[in-house]
Amino acid sequence: MNTVNPDNFNDTLKGYLIRALKEIDATEEERRRIFMGLIWAIDLMTMEEARKEYEKYRQGLIKFE
């Protein structure tokens, strides 16, 4: 059942991220850097801006090299 709402979205996102980091056996430094980036993004971006960023990624406009 999907129980995500605007009040618990950030905690849900952090839970997904924690599981993903655990699955790839991320180092302490990798976890620290990724969480700092996530905190920045949550604090400074709206949900709409985040969805637009994801759409740019899906379209190949954002690449990680």
Side-chain angles (χ1 to χ4, degrees):
M1 177 190 307
N2 185 357
T3 58
V4 176
N5 62 55
D7 295 329
N8 68 15
F9 174 80
N10 290 346
D11 288 343
T12 302
L13 175 63
K14 289 174 187 174
Y16 281 129
L17 180 58
I18 288 166
R19 177 54 60 99
L21 293 170
K22 186 176 171 184
E23 288 298 316
I24 66 165
D25 200 24
T27 67
E28 181 68 31
E29 178 63 13
E30 289 168 332
R31 290 191 307 268
R32 185 191 69 76
R33 292 184 68 205
I34 290 169
F35 264 98
M36 292 303 295
L38 179 62
I39 290 167
W40 175 90
I42 288 171
D43 287 348
L44 296 178
M45 294 177 75
T46 66
M47 287 184 180
E48 182 178 352
E49 290 169 330
R51 285 189 297 273
K52 287 178 182 177
E53 195 77 356
Y54 178 63
E55 187 57 34
K56 285 191 258 180
Y57 173 77
R58 287 186 51 196
Q59 293 172 1
L61 302 173
I62 296 174
K63 298 189 190 300
F64 297 93
E65 298 174 30

